[in-house]
Amino acid sequence: MPNTRFTDFIKECTSDFTPVLDTKFKQKDYAHIDLSEVSEELKNIEIPSSGEIQKGIDSFLSKKKAKVAYGGYNEKRNFYERSFIFNDEKTESPRNIHIGLDFWIEAGTAVLAPLDGTVHSFHDNEGMGNYGPTIILEHLIGERMFYTLYGHLSRKCIKNLCFGQIVEAGDKIGDLGSTKVNGDYAPHLHFQIIHDLQGFNGDYPGVVAKQDLELYLENCPDPNLLLKIS
């Protein structure tokens, strides 16, 4: 079951739409997309390559007359099958349920901090299917400490970061990376809220197996509670 008190707390941290991307994109520019195993956008894609997924997203945005496609929280996806990091022989079942919120938009788009915080950690998580360059911010509001993760960034945005660096709400913390550096995905931001970081630095699972889902949904509530896109 979700951690109700933490979920309510996250919801109360903001009062209305709070951007995590360049402020030139207004709330009306966002459209929710389904990229699950039954997605209409992906149903005709036999091999889920980054290029083919990008074509599906571009077609969706054109039909919706939108600029940013977002979604994916608690969504079971089949395109993780192409990466061994989600299908390790040592695991009981594949990791294929996404527990962050994705924002599909072109590489180079500015990524913003939605809340005041400090830089907890950062790392280039290389390899197909991985996050690529990743930043984790630490937030302390009242007596509550929690974290936000930003994955699939450009390499340049983590070059000059410092641990403990102060970040204010609305500050640019980086920009989106290209397919070459972001784990071989169509360019997008993976944004995730984490209650207990469990000792991770610069990384935290964003895709989990079915048997672990309840634990992760409790620790990582729906980011839309904070961002209020819809």
Side-chain angles (χ1 to χ4, degrees):
M1 294 294 291
N3 184 337
T4 304
R5 284 186 292 180
F6 183 59
T7 297
D8 290 343
F9 167 77
I10 290 297
K11 190 175 182 179
E12 291 168 2
C13 284
T14 56
S15 58
D16 51 23
F17 173 62
T18 302
V20 73
L21 295 177
D22 195 318
T23 54
K24 71 180 181 181
F25 300 114
K26 307 306 179 185
Q27 189 174 9
K28 63 181 177 59
D29 294 324
Y30 291 73
H32 187 272
I33 189 170
D34 175 8
L35 294 179
S36 72
E37 58 186 353
V38 296
S39 168
E40 286 294 314
E41 272 58 52
L42 300 182
K43 68 178 181 181
N44 295 320
I45 298 178
E46 294 182 12
I47 301 174
S49 69
S50 58
E52 291 301 310
I53 291 174
Q54 184 66 63
K55 289 179 184 177
I57 292 169
D58 289 344
S59 174
F60 169 83
L61 289 173
S62 178
K63 287 187 293 186
K64 294 289 186 178
K65 294 181 172 56
K67 297 177 181 178
V68 183
Y70 79 97
Y73 181 71
N74 194 15
E75 183 174 270
K76 185 178 180 183
R77 296 172 169 175
N78 61 15
F79 57 75
Y80 296 121
E81 294 173 4
R82 68 194 182 108
S83 175
F84 77 92
I85 69 169
F86 300 113
N87 298 278
D88 192 315
E89 293 178 356
K90 297 177 183 178
T91 60
E92 295 180 26
S93 64
R95 292 193 290 137
N96 55 16
I97 304 174
H98 188 258
I99 54 166
L101 198 62
D102 282 340
F103 296 86
W104 304 88
I105 185 63
E106 63 187 359
T109 299
V111 176
L112 312 179
L115 300 168
D116 294 347
T118 58
V119 175
H120 172 274
S121 52
F122 50 92
H123 185 66
D124 189 352
N125 298 289
E126 298 182 87
M128 177 179 278
N130 216 330
Y131 282 132
T134 307
I135 296 172
I136 295 178
L137 299 183
E138 179 179 284
H139 307 278
L140 180 62
I141 298 180
E143 297 181 353
R144 288 266 195 178
M145 183 176 290
F146 64 99
Y147 308 86
T148 51
L149 180 149
Y150 310 78
H152 310 298
L153 306 177
S154 68
R155 287 199 174 119
K156 68 179 181 180
C157 70
I158 63 173
K159 280 186 177 179
N160 298 315
L161 278 184
C162 299
F163 298 110
Q165 182 175 327
I166 295 173
V167 174
E168 294 184 353
D171 282 355
K172 178 182 176 181
I173 61 170
D175 42 42
L176 295 187
S178 69
T179 296
K180 292 181 179 180
V181 302
N182 76 356
D184 193 42
Y185 292 100
H188 71 288
L189 171 69
H190 173 98
F191 176 72
Q192 188 168 335
I193 297 170
I194 305 164
H195 188 202
D196 180 0
L197 203 52
Q198 299 172 311
F200 280 87
N201 280 277
D203 192 15
Y204 189 83
V207 180
V208 303
K210 182 179 179 179
Q211 71 264 20
D212 301 321
L213 182 60
E214 184 175 345
L215 181 155
Y216 281 103
L217 291 182
E218 180 173 344
N219 197 42
C220 302
D222 185 350
N224 199 35
L225 293 171
L226 177 72
L227 303 181
K228 297 176 174 62
I229 305 165
S230 59

